[in-house]
Amino acid sequence: SGAVRLVLGDQLSRNLASLRGLDRTQDVVLLAEVMAEATYVPHHPQKIAFLFSAMRHFAEELRADGVRVDYIRLDDPDNTGTLGGELSRAIARHGAARAIVTFPGEWRVWKPMRQWQQDFAVPVEVKEDDRFFCPIARFRSWADGRKQLRMEFFYREMRRDYKILLTPEGQPEGGQWNFDAENRKSLPKGLKIPPPYREEPDAITAEVLALVAERFKGHFGKLEGFFYAVTAAGAEKALNHFISHCLPLFGDYQDAMAMGQETLFHSILSPYINAGLLDPRRVVDAAERAWRQGHAPLNAVEGFIRQILGWREYVRGIYWLKMPAYADTNALNAHRPLPDFYWTGRTDMNCMAQVIGQTERLAYAHHIQRLMVTGNFALLLGVEPAQIEEWYLAVYADAYDWVELPNVHGMVMHADGGYLGSKPYAASGKYIQRMSDYCTKCRYDVKETTGTTACPFNALYWNFLMENEGKLRGNPRMGLVYKGLDGMEPAKREAIRAQAGRFIAGLVPAYPATGTERS
Ligand code: FAD
Ligand code: DLZ
Ligand code: SF4
């Protein structure tokens, strides 16, 4: 008898480690839609629909290729609701001699999986997930002995290791490793913005959309307008669309935000890459080729490649280096509850309403929206890290703990004490005004710090600096902002503190005061 090869919902790659060496006559590939995975946070319905439809399409492709597939649907009456339960049933059903699985993307899943070897009567082999550029062991040896880990240095090693954007002599193309200084332009009026790649739901997706609408009614997020591709071929088309239409201007307007222009020149490839439909190496190669062929400028291509070869690999490395302790730190001692409007979008702050509203419609927001609007607000307010982490893990189609947690816990909330980023990205309303048009349609005045119409980001910003003075003043990169605070009259400081206090007192918590878990 053969092996049961379990493929998780974010492992939909034909060259997956656990599918290699498959024996078509003996082995069975198992995919299972289970409630435990669909509800460990209240995922956006589009995220669940995307994954279920992609899983069903993947199963169809394998079958068409002559592979024996055992697919467990969510509404199968015998479904145990967990991955372990389904693997156990499948081993018995097929009389399998062993089970094979690829290393999962989340600590939460890995914890019980480590026990499977003991739990089940047959050997369970866990293969390394080699769909990343940097093996976990390679990251460990890079990190070993370093006091602080800096993405930039890691990224340079990756560029060298994989010979990406290098001259034949091994130097960075263009004479610099990083062209970010050129990538902070605000959006000129009238610039033509390409619509994102979209696909109409086919019959499989339509069936999944109906299932999700019925079974996950209470979850934040709309299903209407679902446009994600659900196959490797569709993801490849999305990649080609991005390279042709968006990549040339990706760098220039990477940090811009605009009402009614939710995706700008971003790729919207993260759901596909993270679920295994698109190989990150293919994406990086396609971008480099576009530069070598003169189709896109170096600032755009280098900036884009850095996100995937640099940031994406770096946050994964940190996750597996530091978990599980990483999630429990709270360096800024932040304990305020998440405000309810994160789950409703109902707030007078236009920037927040816009970003939360598009998140509800698309299960997508680009990096600066996540970092400098919803993230910045949570940082300034001092939200309990676990509460804001749950929100990010739930609401984006690309969200998995290994990538969401370092971005939110480290980059946004500074809860790791500066392990991932050397300073918090705290900013007042001025930043949002500079990088977007949100402030032009807001009830608040971004130029005011105190008073009934003052932009809440302003008082919260100064209040954040005051509340965390003991922890942040010594940070050399915060010197300038504390100088600004030092120059402030005591009466003004007091007025700001009072303004922030009133605003915070008026917020409604999303959860009951006692619990951080939403179940
Ligand atoms: P593009 O702007 O087109 O970038 C290209 C690719 O680079 C992305 O598809 C993604 O694979 C990668 N990338 C870019 N930035 C990062 C980053 N900081 N970390 C890891 N990969 C990156 N990304 C996720 O994939 N899942 C998450 O759950 C997630 N949560 C985030 C939470 C916060 C608070 C922040 C600030 C960032 C988060 N990111 C997350 C990173 C980033 O915002 C998204 O990858 C990006 O917005 C996806 O959209 P895109 O494909 O259009 O990206
Ligand atoms: C996110 C998700 C969801 C919503 N549903 C399933 C599922 O029903 N079956 C499955 O195998 N995987 C699902 N996933 C993805 C898993 O949560 C993901 O594989 C783990 O978190 C490991 O990264
Ligand atoms: Fe956001 Fe303040 Fe601008 Fe309103 S004024 S959109 S709250 S930054």
Side-chain angles (χ1 to χ4, degrees):
S1 53
V4 173
R5 297 170 181 264
L6 171 65
V7 173
L8 305 181
D10 57 354
Q11 299 182 338
L12 308 177
S13 314
R14 289 301 296 271
N15 71 344
L16 192 71
S18 50
L19 291 178
R20 278 176 224 150
L22 181 138
D23 179 343
R24 279 179 168 68
T25 57
Q26 304 253 340
D27 296 351
V28 177
V29 172
L30 173 70
L31 289 114
E33 297 169 4
V34 293
M35 272 318 251
E37 293 309 306
T39 56
Y40 66 87
V41 290
H43 300 286
H44 195 297
Q46 289 194 31
K47 178 183 179 186
I48 303 176
F50 163 66
L51 275 178
F52 283 8
S53 180
M55 287 168 70
R56 291 184 184 192
H57 280 90
F58 189 73
E60 284 308 309
E61 281 171 26
L62 289 174
R63 281 192 188 114
D65 201 24
V67 175
R68 291 170 65 207
V69 179
D70 194 356
Y71 192 97
I72 307 301
R73 290 183 173 225
L74 191 74
D75 47 18
D76 183 324
D78 297 328
N79 192 328
T80 55
T82 66
L83 293 169
E86 285 317 290
L87 179 58
S88 169
R89 280 205 313 135
I91 291 169
R93 192 161 56 241
H94 300 288
R98 59 195 179 120
I100 307 176
V101 58
T102 301
F103 191 75
E106 305 196 340
W107 180 267
R108 178 187 59 78
V109 177
W110 175 231
K111 224 168 50 178
M113 197 183 274
R114 282 183 308 182
Q115 300 301 317
W116 284 1
Q117 181 64 76
Q118 278 97 62
D119 295 349
F120 301 143
V122 301
V124 181
E125 250 179 82
V126 182
K127 305 272 193 193
E128 176 165 2
D129 187 350
D130 52 15
R131 297 173 301 163
F132 291 85
F133 284 92
C134 185
I136 291 170
R138 164 87 174 89
F139 192 86
R140 257 179 220 289
S141 65
W142 174 77
D144 201 31
R146 281 171 207 257
K147 263 232 211 69
Q148 275 197 323
L149 304 186
R150 285 289 160 260
M151 197 290 294
E152 189 62 30
F153 298 122
F154 168 75
Y155 165 58
R156 289 178 195 176
E157 291 218 5
M158 289 292 106
R159 290 265 300 270
R160 288 198 193 94
D161 279 9
Y162 293 95
K163 302 199 173 25
I164 290 164
L165 292 179
L166 288 194
T167 64
E169 297 74 41
Q171 294 303 309
E173 291 287 5
Q176 274 164 246
W177 292 102
N178 180 317
F179 292 85
D180 241 5
E182 298 172 31
N183 288 356
R184 300 196 181 113
K185 298 198 175 80
S186 49
L187 213 60
K189 278 217 166 63
L191 184 70
K192 211 170 158 281
I193 292 159
Y197 177 78
R198 22 174 83 243
E199 275 189 9
E200 287 301 316
D202 66 2
I204 294 180
T205 301
E207 194 182 349
V208 166
L209 287 171
L211 170 78
V212 172
E214 152 97 27
R215 297 293 297 273
F216 303 96
K217 277 199 187 84
H219 291 199
F220 165 91
K222 296 197 177 348
L223 265 181
E224 303 84 65
F226 180 93
F227 68 83
Y228 289 101
V230 288
T231 59
E236 182 78 16
K237 285 190 198 153
L239 169 64
N240 294 337
H241 175 91
F242 167 72
I243 299 279
S244 305
H245 303 292
C246 307
L247 179 61
L249 289 179
F250 173 86
D252 288 0
Y253 306 114
Q254 197 179 343
D255 289 1
M257 301 178 279
M259 281 185 278
Q261 304 289 355
E262 295 94 349
T263 54
L264 292 169
F265 298 94
H266 291 274
S267 68
I268 326 174
L269 292 176
S270 50
Y272 310 134
I273 303 174
N274 294 351
L277 297 181
L278 191 56
D279 184 339
R281 295 179 193 86
R282 260 190 104 71
V283 181
V284 167
D285 287 350
E288 174 159 8
R289 204 174 322 119
W291 175 69
R292 296 211 179 269
Q293 293 171 349
H295 170 65
L298 192 54
N299 71 306
V301 171
E302 185 282 316
F304 180 72
I305 286 178
R306 177 162 18 94
Q307 305 311 312
I308 294 175
L309 182 65
W311 279 110
R312 186 170 186 274
E313 297 286 327
Y314 172 74
V315 301
R316 176 180 185 253
I318 289 194
Y319 183 83
W320 288 110
L321 190 65
K322 289 287 169 189
M323 279 302 275
Y326 191 75
D328 294 331
T329 55
N330 190 351
L332 297 183
N333 217 358
H335 293 293
R336 293 201 175 99
L338 187 75
D340 64 343
F341 54 71
Y342 273 83
W343 296 108
T344 65
R346 282 196 291 277
T347 161
D348 285 345
M349 290 179 284
N350 188 41
C351 52
M352 293 289 282
Q354 291 288 333
V355 175
I356 295 166
Q358 81 165 65
T359 299
E360 195 174 13
R361 272 184 290 113
L362 308 172
Y364 176 83
H366 71 65
H367 187 68
I368 291 299
Q369 295 176 311
R370 298 185 203 196
L371 182 64
M372 299 309 291
V373 181
T374 44
N376 185 35
F377 185 85
L379 170 73
L380 299 183
L381 179 61
V383 172
E384 173 95 38
Q387 292 197 15
I388 186 69
E389 283 150 19
E390 186 194 30
W391 186 79
Y392 278 106
L393 191 55
V395 302
Y396 292 113
D398 59 19
Y400 301 89
D401 206 42
W402 67 266
V403 51
E404 172 274 327
L405 187 75
N407 272 296
V408 181
H409 198 80
M411 194 173 336
V412 168
M413 298 303 287
H414 209 66
D416 61 358
Y419 191 70
L420 187 139
S422 53
K423 76 177 188 76
Y425 281 90
S428 68
K430 205 190 280 172
Y431 177 90
I432 294 173
Q433 183 197 26
R434 194 169 70 242
M435 296 316 296
S436 79
D437 61 358
Y438 297 147
C439 303
T440 62
K441 287 274 178 315
C442 188
R443 148 170 130 63
Y444 295 113
D445 185 343
V446 71
K447 291 188 289 305
E448 301 288 335
T449 301
T450 52
T452 50
T453 58
C455 166
F457 278 82
N458 294 336
L460 285 177
Y461 172 71
W462 293 109
N463 189 62
F464 169 81
L465 292 177
M466 290 188 260
E467 280 189 343
N468 294 290
E469 190 161 0
K471 297 194 175 93
L472 297 178
R473 186 185 276 277
N475 182 331
R477 297 196 57 199
M478 299 293 283
L480 214 61
V481 298
Y482 276 101
K483 246 194 173 142
L485 186 65
D486 293 340
M488 202 180 267
E489 295 287 329
K492 175 132 194 233
R493 275 176 172 243
E494 260 331 292
I496 288 176
R497 219 193 275 273
Q499 173 91 12
R502 274 191 304 275
F503 177 79
I504 293 168
L507 296 172
V508 179
Y511 306 114
T514 47
T516 52
E517 279 298 320
R518 208 180 129 101
S519 51

